[in-house]
């Protein structure tokens, strides 16, 4: 199977799982019809942009390995598959944490991220609001690290992608769950929901997979310390005329 085949199968499988889970254990009332047209537009745009960026960066990066990293790369490439996938996930997530933090720190980078924060109804389908520049920036570590450093096989890359997609669904889904001690390691829907708050917590809980980065670098907010009900989004409705620019990330 090609990497794309794994990605397609993983996507549709996760759609079914999270749609059922949200119906059974919703965290808060969600009016899915309120922004459905916008969510469908965002999904189609995000899917297209992701494919273009991913294939473009793969072609650009190729199999070039920096000479200074040759020894490390050789060691990483010869690790068992499980270790390669796990280490790659941690490295990619650490890099994205700092990119994400920069997006919340610098105005010019915030513009690449603002469209994602326009979400006011969080459920599994709403998390695909990403601008073109947002997707491009995030795809650099998501492609370069597995391809250049780890040279994952199609099966390994497919597993890694499936885990990444699972996390994308998981963190934006409308679920209230208790994962116990795992909350010290991975983010949860209520953890990430705080990050999408329209209030002072927008620059907190920046981790996209692992919660340990926020704990290590001072951006952690305990979900138990925040009321269950708070507004999401940018604090105001996005005007229709601004949407094209926000989709580009400008």
């Amino acid at each position: 199977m090609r990497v794309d085949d794994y990605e397609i199968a993983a996507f549709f499988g996760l759609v079914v799982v999270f749609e059922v889970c949200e119906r059974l254990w919703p965290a808060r009332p969600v009016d899915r019809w309120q922004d459905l047209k916008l969510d469908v537009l965002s999904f189609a745009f995000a899917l297209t942009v992701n494919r273009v960026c991913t294939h473009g960066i793969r072609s650009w990066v190729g199999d070039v390995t920096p000479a200074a990293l040759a020894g490390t790369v050789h060691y990483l490439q010869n690790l068992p598959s499980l270790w390669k996938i796990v280490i790659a996930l941690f490295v990619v997530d650490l890099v994205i944490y700092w990119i994400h933090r920069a997006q919340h720190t610098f105005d010019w980078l915030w513009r690449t991220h603002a469209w994602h924060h326009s979400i006011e109804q969080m459920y599994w389908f709403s998390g695909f609001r990403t601008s073109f520049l947002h997707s491009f920036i995030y795809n650099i570590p998501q492609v370069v690290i597995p391809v250049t450093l780890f040279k994952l096989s199609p099966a390994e890359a497919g597993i890694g992608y499936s885990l990444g997609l699972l996390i994308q669904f998981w963190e934006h889904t409308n679920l209230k769950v208790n994962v116990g001690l795992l909350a010290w390691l991975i983010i949860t829907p209520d953890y990430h929901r705080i990050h999408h708050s329209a209030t002072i917590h927008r620059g907190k809980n920046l981790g996209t997979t692992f919660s340990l980065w926020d704990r290590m670098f001072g951006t952690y907010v305990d979900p138990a310390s925040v009321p269950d009900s708070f507004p999401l989004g940018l604090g105001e409705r996005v005007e229709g005329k601004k949407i094209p620019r926000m989709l580009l990330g400008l």
Side-chain angles (χ1 to χ4, degrees), residues 68-125:
L69 297 176
T72 301
V73 169
H74 178 74
Y75 173 78
L76 292 173
Q77 290 171 359
N78 285 281
L79 289 172
S81 293
L82 176 61
W83 283 107
K84 285 200 292 185
I85 293 169
V86 170
I87 295 173
L89 279 173
F90 273 93
V91 174
V92 169
D93 197 56
L94 176 59
V95 172
I96 288 180
Y97 169 85
W98 285 106
I99 293 173
H100 194 187
R101 186 163 178 166
Q103 287 176 310
H104 282 265
T105 302
F106 303 105
D107 288 342
W108 61 280
L109 276 174
W110 168 249
R111 290 195 290 271
T112 71
H113 191 52
W115 178 240
H116 186 64
H117 277 271
S118 68
I119 299 169
E120 295 179 345
Q121 300 279 329
M122 277 189 72
Y123 66 110
W124 67 265
F125 196 43

Side-chain angles (χ1 to χ4, degrees), residues 7-8 27 35 37 44 77-78 80 96 107 134 168 173-174 178 181 190 193 197-198 207 211 220 222:
E7 295 176 356
I8 293 169
D35 293 320
K37 291 181 180 179
Q77 290 171 359
N78 285 281
I96 288 180
D107 288 342
H134 178 121
Q168 169 75 4
T173 200
N174 183 40
N178 183 354
L181 293 177
D190 56 338
R193 199 174 297 121
S197 167
S211 61
Y220 172 71
D222 185 353

Side-chain angles (χ1 to χ4, degrees), residues 7-19:
E7 295 176 356
I8 293 169
F11 175 79
F12 285 106
L14 290 171
V15 166
V16 173
V17 169
F18 281 103
E19 179 63 22

Side-chain angles (χ1 to χ4, degrees), residues 211-230:
S211 61
L212 58 92
W213 313 128
D214 287 302
R215 298 175 190 276
M216 289 173 62
F217 303 119
T219 50
Y220 172 71
V221 173
D222 185 353
S225 69
V226 178
D228 287 337
S229 179
F230 51 85

